[in-house]
């Protein structure tokens, strides 16, 4: 290479010196036009190169800006969807509570009696408000709602009169048909409705002399029926809007400027603002006043039009295709800042929910890119070169991974699985030659959060040595900074695949598999680790060391260390990960509040699937499924299974599925002891395993963590 370069330089030198020598010789003068042409060519070349670099730099900037906006939009939408689901779950639980109360015979009888008194011709307010029937009803409903955050309740007859209330001053008052009364129309048609926050004085035709509810209140209203099934009243209870309703929305405040808030069809904010002090300082809100029902989503200028988000959301409220939106181009918010936002209009609750984030914070990386784009030409050249080198490196990485690539000491053979976060390759150790599964985090998913999850999975899982737990061999980073780890390569099928192929498994086989699952979990629990993602897809039934039906527990990506303080923060970040069908009720209520009994619940749900071939609950969406896990009892094994399930095994599995963790077996070793006793009576032999092993399960069907 050096020789060739020197030779080329010599040629270049010849082209510059030799013509001059000819010019000195007689008749050897160089034409001026040729000299001008050479100079122009150099200038054109430099200008063309500069133009290409500028164009490439501008194209790069546009591409990065577009990608960043798409990523930010995806993040905003997913975070908002999570909060909408959480809000929906909270509302649906309240609906369940009020419907249960309205069906109570004593409550129904009390309301029916008071409505009958109020309906008499010429009946006065005092007759039903001072009726002896009112006090027992108030006491019973108040006791039922105690601890649920309710601050008030009322029963409203079809004439719009309050016939029973927690506050004596409210009894007999007429509900305004233009405000709160409109929200009750669906209730008197048989629906249970969530009523967005209202100020108390707006609910009545004539407000009470003594106002008991001084802050905006959300209501949940349901029909009350008489003995003939006719709807005679609406029963509801109210909570202050700045309580759990506001807390749910305030739980997701991304970054230093992000917030989630609710609003109505008039563009009025229904929840609290993160920036109340700023709004007071800028005279947008009066001192001592909070945002709910006092702040309109308008730009803070003379004309004060609605913000772009409020305009789009309100305009699309009646159009199902326009009820979801995303604004990635900055616009002025109700506090005057340039923001980006996403919204969801919820017609079932007659309100919208929005998430906004300051554009400066959302697009902070673009600030540095603009600085880089405006520096001297040399810096631009360096930036373009770096971008080209990076692009070439990425292409080379993809090409090498697609063919045969070496990751640390492991040589990649082929891809065998791919998920949303990572790709799994079949590989072998360069020296030991043993087959290995290598899990590589996708570049697009290599955020700090995901890398932290991968590193925790490797570090915590590698502390486990039980044979029924997936073994981690090694981990590291590629030369391009991508995170990977190597683990044992397994030959087998997941429990999900086994049930999908053949339905329910024999009782003896289920006991045999459950014993191994519990044995692997026992070691993890003893070390203070909770798996938190036990499900059929994470339980592998393998051919291992010549033994069939050998269980391996996979995927410790959601593992929680009960002894490490920092794991709580990551848990909060990953609170939405997991499969609701196999999540214990306490984890659905508070993702951070889990212990080993959450794994015991999941073991029970997996056992239920293996014994019956059916899921614990069936549902078309996660919200409904979550509600069933929290509130419904599963069909008993003896009724769901087509095979005979021993009574002792049925009691054990159903005990694992108790809603209250205090009612479940308290340690996984308790399950192991019970399963050992059952295994003595229901033996699963190697011959049984060989007869049940799928004929196409060997190398043709490898599965990995």
């Amino acid at each position: 290479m050096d020789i060739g370069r020197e030779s080329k330089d010599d040629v270049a030198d010849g082209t510059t010196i030799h013509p001059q020598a000819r010019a000195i010789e007689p008749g050897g003068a160089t034409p001026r036009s040729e000299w001008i042409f050479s100079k122009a060519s150099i200038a054109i070349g430099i200008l063309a190169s500069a133009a290409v670099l500028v164009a490439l730099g501008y194209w790069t900037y546009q591409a990065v800006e577009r990608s960043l906006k798409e990523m930010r939009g995806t993040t905003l939408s997913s975070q908002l969807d999570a909060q909408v689901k959480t809000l929906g779950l909270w509302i649906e639980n309240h609906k369940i509570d009020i419907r249960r109360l309205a069906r109570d015979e004593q409550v129904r009888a009390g309301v029916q009696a008071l409505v009958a008194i109020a309906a008499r011709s010429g009946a006065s307010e005092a007759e039903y408000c001072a009726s002896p029937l009112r006090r027992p009803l108030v006491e019973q409903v108040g006791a039922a709602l105690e601890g649920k955050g309710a601050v008030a309740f009322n029963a409203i007859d079809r004439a719009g009169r309050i016939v029973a209330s927690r506050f004596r001053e409210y009894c007999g008052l007429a509900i305004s048909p233009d405000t709160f009364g409109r929200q009750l129309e669906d209730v008197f048609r048989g629906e249970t409705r969530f009523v967005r926050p209202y100020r108390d004085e707006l609910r009545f035709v004539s407000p009470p002399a003594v106002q008991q509810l001084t802050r905006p209140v959300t209501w949940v209203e349901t029909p009350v029926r008489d003995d003939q099934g006719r709807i005679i009243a609406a029963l509801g209870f109210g909570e202050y809007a700045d309580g759990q309703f506001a807390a749910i929305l305030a739980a997701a405040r991304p970054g230093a400027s992000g917030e989630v808030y609710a609003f109505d069809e008039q563009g009025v904010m229904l929840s609290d603002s993160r920036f109340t002090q700023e709004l007071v300082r800028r005279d947008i809100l009066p001192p001592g006043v909070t945002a709910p029902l006092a702040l309109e989503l308008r730009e803070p200028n003379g004309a004060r039009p609605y913000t772009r988000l409020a305009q789009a959301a309100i305009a699309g409220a009646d159009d199902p295709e326009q009820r979801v939106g995303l604004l990635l181009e900055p616009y002025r918010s109700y506090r005057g800042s340039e923001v980006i936002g996403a919204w969801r209009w919820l017609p079932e609750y007659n309100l919208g929910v929005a998430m906004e984030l300051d554009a400066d914070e959302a697009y902070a990386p673009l600030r540095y890119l603009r600085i880089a784009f405006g520096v001297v030409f040399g810096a631009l050249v360096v930036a373009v070169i770096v971008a080209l080198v990076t692009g070439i490196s990425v292409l080379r990485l993809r090409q090498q991974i697609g063919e045969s690539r070496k990751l640390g000491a492991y040589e990649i053979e082929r891809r065998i699985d791919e998920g949303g976060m990572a790709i799994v390759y079949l590989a072998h150790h360069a020296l030991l030659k043993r087959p290995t599964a290598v899990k590589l985090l996708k570049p697009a998913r290599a955020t700090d959060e995901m890398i932290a999850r991968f590193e925790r999975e490797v570090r915590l899982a590698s502390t486990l040595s039980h044979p029924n737990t997936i073994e981690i061999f090694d981990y590291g980073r590629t030369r391009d900074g991508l995170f990977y780890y190597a683990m044992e390569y397994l030959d087998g099928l997941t429990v999900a695949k086994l049930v999908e192929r053949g339905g329910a498994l024999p009782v003896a086989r289920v006991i045999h598999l459950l014993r191994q699952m519990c044995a692997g979990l026992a070691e993890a629990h003893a070390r203070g680790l909770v798996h938190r993602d036990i499900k059929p897809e994470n339980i592998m039934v393998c051919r291992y060391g010549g033994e069939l039906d050998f269980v391996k527990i996979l995927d410790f990506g959601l593992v929680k260390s009960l002894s490490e303080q920092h794991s709580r923060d990551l848990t909060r970040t990953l609170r939405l990960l997991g499969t609701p069908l196999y999540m214990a009720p306490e984890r659905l209520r508070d993702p951070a509040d889990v212990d080993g009994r959450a794994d015991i619940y999941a073991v029970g749900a997996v056992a239920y699937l293996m014994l019956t071939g059916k899921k614990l609950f069936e549902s078309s969406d996660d919200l409904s499924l979550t509600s069933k896990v929290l509130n419904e009892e599963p069909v008993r094994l003896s009724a769901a299974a087509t095979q005979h399930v021993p009574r002792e095994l049925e009691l054990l599995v159903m005990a694992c599925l108790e809603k209250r963790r205090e009612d479940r077996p308290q340690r996984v070793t308790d399950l192991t002891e019970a399963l050992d006793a059952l295994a003595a009576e229901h033996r699963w032999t190697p011959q049984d395993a060989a007869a049940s092993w799928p004929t196409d399960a060997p190398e043709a069907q490898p599965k990995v963590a």
Side-chain angles (χ1 to χ4, degrees):
M1 293 294 293
D2 293 338
I3 295 174
R5 193 159 49 243
E6 291 170 1
S7 174
K8 186 175 181 179
D9 292 342
D10 291 341
V11 172
D13 291 342
T15 60
T16 57
I17 296 174
H18 185 64
Q20 295 175 1
R22 288 203 313 270
I24 298 174
E25 296 176 358
T30 303
R32 181 174 179 82
S33 59
E34 182 179 342
W35 179 81
I36 294 174
F37 177 78
S38 299
K39 186 175 180 179
S41 298
I42 294 173
I44 292 173
I46 293 174
L47 291 175
S49 299
V52 169
L53 290 174
V54 170
L56 184 59
Y58 181 75
W59 176 83
T60 302
Y61 172 80
Q62 292 294 322
V64 172
E65 181 181 39
R66 184 169 55 254
S67 298
L68 179 62
K69 288 183 177 180
E70 290 175 356
M71 291 171 59
R72 180 58 71 183
T74 300
T75 302
L76 276 180
S77 295
S78 61
Q79 289 179 326
L80 182 58
D81 286 340
Q83 291 309 116
V84 168
K85 286 184 179 180
T86 302
L87 180 64
L89 178 61
W90 177 75
I91 292 174
E92 293 306 315
N93 283 337
H94 276 29
K95 286 184 177 181
I96 291 171
D97 291 337
I98 193 64
R99 282 196 292 262
R100 184 183 297 119
L101 190 61
R103 289 195 297 266
D104 183 275
E105 287 300 325
Q106 293 181 350
V107 172
R108 193 171 62 83
V111 172
Q112 184 174 352
L114 292 175
V115 169
I117 295 173
R120 293 174 188 166
S121 177
S124 66
E125 167 194 328
E127 289 186 55
Y128 54 88
C129 290
S131 171
L133 299 172
R134 176 183 170 273
R135 180 172 296 277
L137 178 64
V138 171
E139 292 177 351
Q140 183 178 1
V141 175
L145 298 178
E146 185 177 356
K148 298 184 182 299
V151 295
F153 89 92
N154 43 224
I156 303 171
D157 67 7
R158 282 187 168 274
R161 292 168 298 188
I162 295 181
V163 298
S165 171
R166 178 180 178 181
F167 308 114
R168 174 62 180 84
E169 299 87 348
Y170 285 22
C171 185
L173 294 181
I175 296 297
S176 172
D178 298 326
T179 58
F180 199 80
R182 293 175 58 190
Q183 307 297 324
L184 298 180
E185 293 175 358
D186 289 337
V187 178
F188 284 108
R189 286 195 288 265
E191 298 183 23
T192 300
R193 300 289 293 179
F194 170 80
V195 181
R196 58 148 178 90
Y198 267 92
R199 285 198 187 92
D200 219 28
E201 63 269 20
L202 297 180
R203 290 199 303 136
F204 306 107
V205 174
S206 298
V210 179
Q211 186 175 335
Q212 297 288 349
L213 303 175
T214 57
R215 307 196 303 274
V217 176
T218 65
W219 293 86
V220 180
E221 301 280 348
T222 197
V224 179
R225 300 178 184 270
D226 63 12
D227 295 335
Q228 287 74 41
R230 296 170 299 191
I231 298 174
I232 58 172
L235 179 66
F237 70 86
E239 293 187 24
Y240 280 129
D242 57 8
Q244 287 185 318
F245 177 75
I248 290 172
L249 298 177
R253 288 179 171 177
S257 62
E259 67 169 339
V260 179
Y261 58 82
F263 58 95
D264 65 13
E265 69 279 2
Q266 302 300 322
V268 176
M269 187 176 288
L270 302 177
S271 57
D272 210 352
S273 170
R274 182 176 185 172
F275 305 98
T276 299
Q277 294 181 354
E278 176 187 337
L279 296 172
V280 171
R281 188 169 59 251
R282 299 177 59 183
D283 295 329
I284 298 175
L285 274 180
V289 176
T290 57
L293 300 181
L295 179 66
E296 292 184 316
L297 300 178
R298 297 181 180 274
E299 297 181 14
N301 55 30
R304 287 182 60 80
Y306 283 125
T307 65
R308 279 182 56 202
L309 185 146
Q311 288 178 356
I314 295 171
D318 296 327
D319 185 353
E321 295 183 357
Q322 302 296 323
R323 290 172 181 164
V324 176
L326 185 65
L327 294 175
L328 296 180
E329 292 300 324
Y331 61 92
R332 282 170 60 84
S333 71
Y334 65 88
R335 57 190 178 91
S337 298
E338 293 291 314
V339 299
I340 63 172
W343 79 86
R344 304 287 183 270
W345 184 263
L346 310 178
E348 65 272 30
Y349 308 135
N350 195 30
L351 56 81
V353 180
M355 174 178 285
E356 289 182 333
L357 182 66
D358 278 4
D360 285 345
E361 181 179 359
Y363 300 143
L366 290 179
R367 198 163 53 241
Y368 303 105
L369 190 61
R370 292 189 187 102
I371 294 173
F373 193 70
V375 295
V376 295
F377 181 72
L380 177 60
V381 172
V382 172
V384 172
I385 292 174
V386 171
L388 288 174
V389 170
T390 302
I392 293 172
S393 298
V394 171
L395 292 175
R396 185 183 300 115
L397 173 63
R398 291 178 178 173
Q399 180 181 2
Q400 290 174 343
I401 287 179
E403 300 167 1
S404 175
R405 169 160 185 138
K406 192 171 183 180
L407 295 177
Y410 300 92
E411 295 182 358
I412 301 298
E413 294 183 11
R414 59 183 172 87
R415 179 185 301 193
I416 53 178
D417 200 4
E418 179 175 359
M421 297 296 178
I423 305 173
V424 182
Y425 296 93
L426 174 62
H428 64 270
H429 193 278
L431 299 178
L432 300 178
K433 302 302 181 183
R434 67 182 173 188
T436 306
V438 176
K439 192 171 185 178
L440 179 69
L441 184 62
K442 290 182 176 179
R445 298 294 187 179
T447 62
D448 291 343
E449 174 186 302
M450 286 300 106
I451 291 175
R453 177 188 172 193
F454 262 57
E455 288 179 340
R456 286 183 66 252
E457 178 180 0
V458 172
R459 179 172 54 79
L460 295 177
S462 63
T463 64
L464 304 175
S465 59
H466 197 277
N468 294 119
T469 301
I470 185 76
E471 182 179 357
I472 305 297
F473 294 149
D474 192 9
Y475 78 99
R477 293 176 184 266
T478 68
R479 287 176 297 177
D480 303 282
L482 300 181
F483 187 86
Y484 75 92
Y485 68 85
M487 61 196 139
E488 59 182 326
Y489 177 78
L490 301 176
D491 169 22
L493 297 172
T494 63
V495 166
K497 281 294 183 184
L498 280 178
V499 174
E500 180 184 332
R501 288 181 169 208
L505 307 183
V507 167
R509 192 180 192 187
V510 173
I511 295 171
H512 179 70
L513 300 179
L514 288 176
R515 290 175 68 199
Q516 298 178 73
M517 288 171 56
C518 293
L521 286 175
E523 184 202 14
H525 289 185
R527 294 178 180 269
L529 303 180
V530 184
H531 189 286
R532 295 197 302 175
D533 201 17
I534 294 295
K535 57 185 179 182
E537 292 80 6
N538 284 341
I539 306 299
M540 180 76 79
V541 182
C542 312
R543 185 199 306 273
Y544 192 77
E547 181 179 343
L548 297 179
D549 276 4
F550 195 92
V551 167
K552 284 284 186 176
I553 301 175
L554 313 178
D555 197 350
F556 282 75
L558 293 184
V559 65
K560 177 181 180 181
S561 174
L562 300 178
S563 62
E564 293 186 16
Q565 186 66 31
H566 78 275
S567 68
R568 180 177 178 83
D569 295 333
L570 187 60
T571 296
R572 191 177 298 115
T573 303
L574 299 174
R575 63 187 180 276
L576 297 176
L577 293 179
T579 307
L581 183 61
Y582 299 95
M583 292 168 67
E586 65 269 16
R587 187 176 168 217
L588 290 170
R589 295 189 183 96
D590 183 357
D593 181 25
V594 296
D595 54 27
R597 292 171 290 184
D599 285 346
I600 290 175
Y601 179 93
V603 169
V606 173
Y608 190 98
L609 176 71
M610 290 194 292
L611 288 167
T612 65
K614 304 171 185 176
K615 296 178 181 178
L616 197 60
F617 297 106
E618 294 287 351
S619 179
S620 59
D621 59 85
D622 283 352
L623 182 61
S624 174
L625 178 60
T626 300
S627 179
K628 289 184 178 182
V629 172
L630 288 172
N631 300 292
E632 293 187 14
E633 296 296 330
V635 178
R636 297 199 64 83
L637 269 172
S638 54
T642 56
Q643 62 178 323
H644 173 69
V645 178
R647 178 65 173 167
E648 297 82 358
L649 180 57
E650 179 182 20
L651 292 175
L652 182 65
V653 173
M654 300 309 292
C656 294
L657 297 173
E658 289 289 346
K659 305 292 185 189
R660 298 177 67 252
R661 55 186 166 189
E662 294 83 2
D663 297 333
R664 300 175 206 145
Q666 299 298 291
R667 296 176 302 276
V668 74
T669 51
D670 297 338
L671 294 181
T672 304
E673 293 176 4
L675 291 167
D676 286 344
L678 286 165
E681 183 178 350
H682 304 275
R683 297 182 63 249
W684 185 253
T685 66
Q687 292 76 21
D688 295 328
S692 299
W693 193 256
T695 57
D696 59 346
E699 289 76 12
Q701 294 290 334
K703 290 291 178 181
V704 296

